[in-house]
Every structure is written in structure tokens, then in C-alpha cells.
Amino acid sequence: MSDSSGAEEQQLLKLRDQIDSLDLDIQKLISERARCAQEVAEVKMKSSQAESVVFYRPEREAQVLTRVMERNEGPLANEDMARLFREIMSACLALEQPLKVAYLGPEGTFTQQAALKHFGSRVITRPMPAIDEVFREVEAGAVNYGVVPIENSTEGVVNHTLDSFLSSNVFISGEVELRIHQHLMIGPNTRLDNITRVYSHQQSLAQCRKWLDAHMPLAERVAVSSNSEAAKRVHSEWNSAAIAGSMAAELYDLQVVYEKIEDHPDNSTRFLIVGKNRSKPSGRDKTSIIVSMKNEPGALYSLLKPFNDHEIDMTRLETRPSSHGNWTYVFFIDFIGHMEDDNVQAAMHDISEKAVEIKELGSYPEAVL
């Protein structure tokens, strides 16, 4: 062995010893954090009735993750560092009380991926066949939280979610933004040059239309109930492919043959976290409301003017038919701020003088990850 290779080996051994020592310190600190979480649970249980104890505080977790990203000095990216802490927090929370989370299923959908991104991998997830059933599970207390899609950057708002809020009494406690990557995948019985059918949800087929036109113009496009259903079908079929996300490929043991085939590389979907409790201010919050206005000239102006007067940034305005009569509508509004903020309360007061009803859907932390 030459002197240079011997010196290199010694340097590597020294660095590995340093890594082992750091791993030991990290492990001890994680265990210490977990013990603190257990003590927090004990304090909460002593101060409240067991059935009313709230272990998960979305505003608290948003503050922790925000601070993690603000003080990060690299070389790991801010989001990578926050994801590590997200998993530590998920494991610690599971020591206090494992969260049960319903989501728009089946397994392997982007909604499940959003649930795991927001809560971490230590939650108990339950797939539901429809959006309104996610709301019902939360209202019935069968789960702690629900996750539903609300809007896609290319396809627009999810009307089923908006309509569910009209009759539900749940509150929004958080949001998740997920970059949507669509992959073409096949099962063990299919050859890439023999694909005659492509299964996917109709929205995913639309998001990949240009790619399919260019690469598989003769293949039949078959819309199914979900991307996971598409993946499940092609696992045992011949000459078929599915368009779905990476979770579906792993779940049904499929081979991804083309990655990221969506027509718009910046395609994202926003999901909402719904629960039975209101969230306290986190410092970076968003609020959602539903407003019913009188059917009269200037109604829309009366609705929008208070936001301008009190310098509130409105981020979304949608209209949906009201259930109280033909040709009447309600307004779904998102804006920056928390219901406890002075300027928000002033704006709500001004709107209430002209509105038939204002329904608070929730104030919640802006998406951190």
C-alpha cells in the first residue's frame, strides 16, 4: 500500500468515527425529545378530561418546522431538513396518541401522499371512497383529521370539496401543497412496445394529454375512478399501462418506464386538513370563509371592499350555487391572516352588515412543506 492510499484510509476511518459519534449524540437527543413528548402528554391528561385532550396542535408544528428551515445552514436543503424533523415529530406524537387520518382513497393516491407529507409516516391512514365520507368520518369522531383535495394548478377547484363544506361543521386546520408527478408504469405481463390501453383517472389523462399524443397516439385511453385503480388493473393485465404516482407503483409492484410525463412540470395540487378543533395563530396563517350575500346590485362590491379597506390579501374567490334557492350563490374566500387578527375582525364586521351569513371554515397555518 502506498503512503497516499494509507493516508486516505486513515482519513476515512477518522471521518467514520466522527460520524459514529455524531449518530450517537443524535440518537440520544431524539430519545430525550421523545421523553419530553411523553411528559407533555401526561401534563395534558392531568389537566383535562381524557376524551377532550388535544395532542396535535397544527399551529405549534408549523412554528417548529418554520424555525427549522429558518435556522438551517446547509448543506441539506431547507425542505429536506424540515422533512427529517417532520418524521421525528410524527414518531414523538405517536407516543402521545397515534393520529387517525381519513383521506380520499384508495391506497396509493396523491391524497394519501399529501396526508403522509403533512402528518408523517406514523399516523394511521384510512382510505375513503368519496370526499363527503371523509367529512363524515371526521364529524363522527371516527378519525382525528381528514385530508381532501381543494384545487389543482392546471385543472382548477375541486367542487365536491367546496360543496361538502356547505353542510359540514368541520374546521380547516391546515393545508398541504404537493407537486404532482405522473409516471407511466406497466406490470410484469406487459411489454413496452405492445401497450394498447392506458388507464388513469380522467384528470391525470388530461394532465398528460400532450405526452400521450406524442408517444402513444394509438393507445386507448381508459378513465377509471382513481390512479390507484389504474395501477391495480395493469398489475395482472396484458398490453396495458397506468398513469399514476410513485406510491401506486410501489403498492402494486409496477415498473415505472417513463417518469414525470405531465404536460406542465409545475403542476401542483393543494389539499386541506379538516378536523373538529379551531387552530390558534401561528404567525403565518390563512383563513377560509363562506359568505352568502343578498341578491341586490353592488353585492359583490360590498363583499370585496372591506378586504381592501383593511389591507387584507385575498388569495381565492370561488362561487357555488346555494342550497337555499335557484339562482342564488355563495362565495368561498381564502385570505391571508387569522380570525383573531384585529384587521380581520374589523373586515368581518363590515361584511356582516351586508351579508346574509358568514360561515368560518377555519384559520390555519400556511403550508410549510
Side-chain angles (χ1 to χ4, degrees):
M1 182 183 291
S2 65
D3 291 342
S4 60
S5 61
E8 181 180 310
E9 184 65 25
Q10 287 298 318
Q11 186 178 10
L12 287 173
L13 287 172
K14 184 178 179 181
L15 288 170
R16 286 167 183 157
D17 287 341
Q18 186 177 355
I19 288 175
D20 289 343
S21 178
L22 289 169
D23 285 345
L24 180 61
D25 291 340
I26 292 171
Q27 187 172 351
K28 287 180 178 178
L29 289 171
I30 291 175
S31 295
E32 186 175 338
R33 190 192 194 285
R35 283 190 288 271
C36 283
Q38 288 179 315
E39 291 180 15
V40 167
E42 291 173 3
V43 171
K44 288 182 177 180
M45 291 292 286
K46 288 178 181 177
S47 60
S48 304
Q49 303 236 346
E51 61 272 11
S52 63
V53 175
V54 178
F55 293 99
Y56 175 72
R57 302 301 313 188
E59 69 279 0
R60 164 67 178 163
E61 296 214 347
Q63 290 167 346
V64 171
L65 292 175
T66 298
R67 286 198 295 267
V68 166
M69 297 175 79
E70 288 175 348
R71 64 175 177 247
N72 181 42
E73 297 179 354
L76 290 178
N78 285 349
E79 187 165 327
D80 291 334
M81 182 66 77
R83 284 180 181 274
L84 289 173
F85 271 81
R86 166 73 276 168
E87 284 302 317
I88 292 172
M89 294 162 71
S90 180
C92 290
L93 183 61
L95 291 174
E96 300 177 51
Q97 182 194 62
L99 290 179
K100 298 175 184 176
V101 180
Y103 66 92
L104 177 62
E107 285 187 281
T109 60
F110 289 115
T111 312
Q112 184 184 23
Q113 190 175 334
L116 295 176
K117 179 180 181 182
H118 185 82
F119 290 102
S121 61
R122 292 301 302 277
V123 296
I124 300 169
T125 56
R126 293 182 178 176
M128 296 291 130
I131 288 173
D132 60 342
E133 294 197 26
V134 175
F135 279 80
R136 279 199 293 269
E137 287 290 290
V138 175
E139 285 191 285
V143 296
N144 303 102
Y145 293 94
V147 182
V148 291
I150 184 63
E151 61 181 329
N152 178 266
S153 59
T154 59
E155 300 298 317
V157 71
V158 181
N159 287 325
H160 287 164
T161 298
L162 293 184
D163 292 342
S164 294
F165 277 116
L166 289 172
S167 58
S168 174
N169 293 317
V170 302
F171 294 100
I172 304 171
S173 61
E175 64 175 0
V176 188
E177 293 178 2
L178 191 67
R179 183 65 60 86
I180 302 299
H181 292 306
Q182 308 279 9
H183 312 307
L184 188 81
M185 54 196 69
I186 58 176
N189 300 325
T190 296
R191 285 172 42 193
L192 185 58
D193 57 355
N194 273 351
I195 295 174
T196 59
R197 293 181 308 282
V198 177
Y199 294 106
S200 195
H201 187 274
Q202 60 182 5
Q203 192 175 67
S204 295
L205 290 172
Q207 291 171 2
C208 303
R209 180 180 57 82
K210 292 180 181 178
W211 189 95
L212 290 170
D213 288 346
H215 296 86
M216 293 186 172
L218 301 180
E220 180 187 8
R221 302 171 194 181
V222 183
V224 292
S225 60
S226 69
N227 290 352
S228 290
E229 173 63 23
K232 183 178 180 180
R233 286 193 183 198
V234 305
H235 176 76
S236 56
E237 283 195 11
W238 296 74
N239 303 329
S240 65
I243 295 175
S246 55
M247 282 191 69
E250 295 172 8
L251 183 63
Y252 295 104
D253 194 24
L254 301 180
Q255 177 190 357
V256 175
V257 290
Y258 291 107
E259 294 184 333
K260 300 178 182 179
I261 65 171
E262 61 273 8
D263 296 334
H264 300 282
D266 58 347
N267 181 26
S268 298
T269 295
R270 178 173 169 243
F271 300 84
L272 295 178
I273 313 300
V274 294
K276 298 182 75 172
N277 299 307
R278 288 183 170 90
S279 299
K280 291 291 185 181
S282 71
R284 293 180 53 193
D285 298 294
K286 187 181 289 185
T287 295
S288 298
I289 60 174
I290 299 174
V291 182
S292 300
M293 296 295 291
K294 299 173 184 175
N295 190 5
E296 60 185 17
L300 182 58
Y301 175 78
S302 299
L303 172 61
L304 300 179
K305 186 176 183 296
F307 290 96
N308 181 69
D309 291 345
H310 298 285
E311 299 182 339
I312 296 173
D313 182 10
M314 182 188 298
T315 58
R316 187 166 64 93
L317 173 65
E318 301 283 345
T319 60
R320 291 293 293 159
S322 171
S323 59
H324 299 300
N326 292 332
W327 310 113
T328 60
Y329 295 86
V330 295
F331 297 90
F332 288 81
I333 300 172
D334 291 346
F335 58 87
I336 302 300
H338 194 282
M339 272 295 192
E340 295 185 11
D341 296 344
D342 291 341
N343 64 330
V344 172
Q345 291 188 8
M348 294 302 103
H349 176 269
D350 291 351
I351 294 172
S352 67
E353 293 184 341
K354 295 287 186 179
V356 176
E357 181 185 10
I358 300 176
K359 181 179 181 180
E360 177 189 349
L361 299 183
S363 294
Y364 47 94
E366 291 186 54
V368 178
L369 286 175

